[in-house]
Amino acid sequence: MQVVGSRLAGKTALITGAASGLGAAIAARFTAEGAEVIVSDRDEAKAASQAAKLGGSSIALHLDVTDEASWSAALADIENKFGRLNILVNNAGICLAGSVEDLSYDDWRLTHAVDLDSVFLGTKAALPLMVRSSAQTSGSVLNISSISGMVAAGNMAAYNSAKAAVRHLTKSIALHCAKKRYGITCNSVHPTFIDTPLLDEFAGNRSREETVEKLARQIPLGRIGSPDDVAWAAVYLCSDEAAFITGAELAIDGGLSAM
């Protein structure tokens, strides 16, 4: 039985790519900890289904994270419905494999648009409302990067590049907000292989079970991560417990980056 907590009580959170995978897990944990959650996704029907599962004051919102106008419309809708925004989780992402020789320029640009540009566009759009809301309670921007932003692979040129850039953009945002005394922190988390639909990108000709077993052998703890391994870290970094943590990156990787 899920116990309802209060670690995020009084906060309104926007989570991108929240119709499934990590975004859905974070949305569920945030709701359980008392937050009002906006489940945003390009697939509005799936977002609506996920918001209905969460119940409470959760709502679904159509959002194309690569489109500046879509962000402006989303933030206007949030201000109209809630009057505030305290947490932004930039979670939406894709993973297109390919080396610097194999990858097409179109896939390179698409990866950066979804995984990196979205963080810039979303944070830029959200900050004015978050600043106005910070007078009531502290604010948090959380960027979902990847262990691939810290540890490179020869066949992940675009994904490595985009996720590494998210790591450094996070620090720039954190320093900007600190200098402006906004009362808003900005941090990034860097998961390794997590049991979400994104794993299908690594399957190739193998079954999902074979893929999970193969990936788990690369992790010192001997397993891949669960969505809740990331969701609980998100709860902490977006709560007042982490008010003195900003510009930091947290590897959620079972010890992989320690090797």
Side-chain angles (χ1 to χ4, degrees):
M1 182 178 69
Q2 192 175 55
V3 178
V4 177
S6 59
R7 296 169 70 187
L8 299 177
K11 295 181 185 289
T12 300
L14 168 61
I15 304 170
T16 67
S20 62
L22 284 184
I26 293 170
R29 285 296 172 199
F30 277 21
T31 301
E33 291 299 328
E36 296 177 314
V37 174
I38 299 110
V39 178
S40 74
D41 204 278
R42 194 169 60 175
D43 188 330
E44 192 168 5
K46 286 181 68 176
S49 176
Q50 186 61 34
K53 291 177 187 176
L54 296 177
S57 57
S58 301
I59 66 164
L61 193 64
H62 174 265
L63 176 59
D64 178 352
V65 296
T66 67
D67 182 70
E68 189 172 12
S70 186
W71 274 107
S72 296
L75 267 296
D77 200 16
I78 291 167
E79 184 162 22
N80 181 55
K81 285 185 170 68
F82 294 95
R84 65 183 183 186
L85 182 67
N86 311 107
I87 298 169
L88 170 64
V89 180
N90 288 305
N91 166 74
I94 59 172
C95 179
L96 301 178
S99 71
V100 68
E101 289 189 291
D102 299 332
L103 198 72
S104 71
Y105 185 40
D106 283 345
D107 283 351
W108 169 270
R109 293 201 300 177
L110 178 61
T111 299
H112 283 78
V114 177
D115 293 358
L116 173 61
D117 295 353
S118 65
V119 177
F120 166 77
L121 291 173
T123 306
K124 184 178 179 65
L127 272 180
L129 179 55
M130 293 184 70
V131 170
R132 293 195 293 274
S133 307
S134 66
Q136 302 167 355
T137 184
S138 60
S140 309
V141 176
L142 181 64
N143 298 325
I144 310 300
S145 180
S146 168
I147 201 64
S148 294
M150 302 171 77
V151 180
N155 66 336
M156 302 291 285
Y159 194 64
N160 285 153
S161 171
K163 290 301 189 179
V166 168
R167 180 190 187 195
H168 233 53
L169 176 57
T170 297
K171 296 178 186 297
S172 178
I173 294 167
L175 292 173
H176 168 72
C177 291
K179 183 178 181 180
K180 291 287 189 178
R181 297 293 187 264
Y182 282 161
I184 297 168
T185 62
C186 184
N187 297 291
S188 60
V189 294
H190 298 257
T192 187
F193 311 115
I194 305 295
D195 193 3
T196 71
L198 199 63
L199 277 191
D200 296 338
E201 301 287 342
F202 299 93
N205 296 322
R206 295 183 297 269
S207 69
R208 201 170 199 283
E209 184 179 59
E210 291 171 326
T211 300
V212 169
E213 289 176 357
K214 180 179 183 294
L215 296 176
R217 288 195 291 271
Q218 302 177 43
I219 309 299
L221 285 182
R223 67 171 177 88
I224 65 170
S226 74
D228 265 352
D229 289 326
V230 181
W232 279 121
V235 168
Y236 169 64
L237 288 170
C238 294
S239 73
D240 291 342
E241 299 160 22
F244 199 55
I245 299 174
T246 196
E249 67 268 350
L250 176 61
I252 307 174
D253 67 351
L256 181 63
S257 59
M259 296 172 66

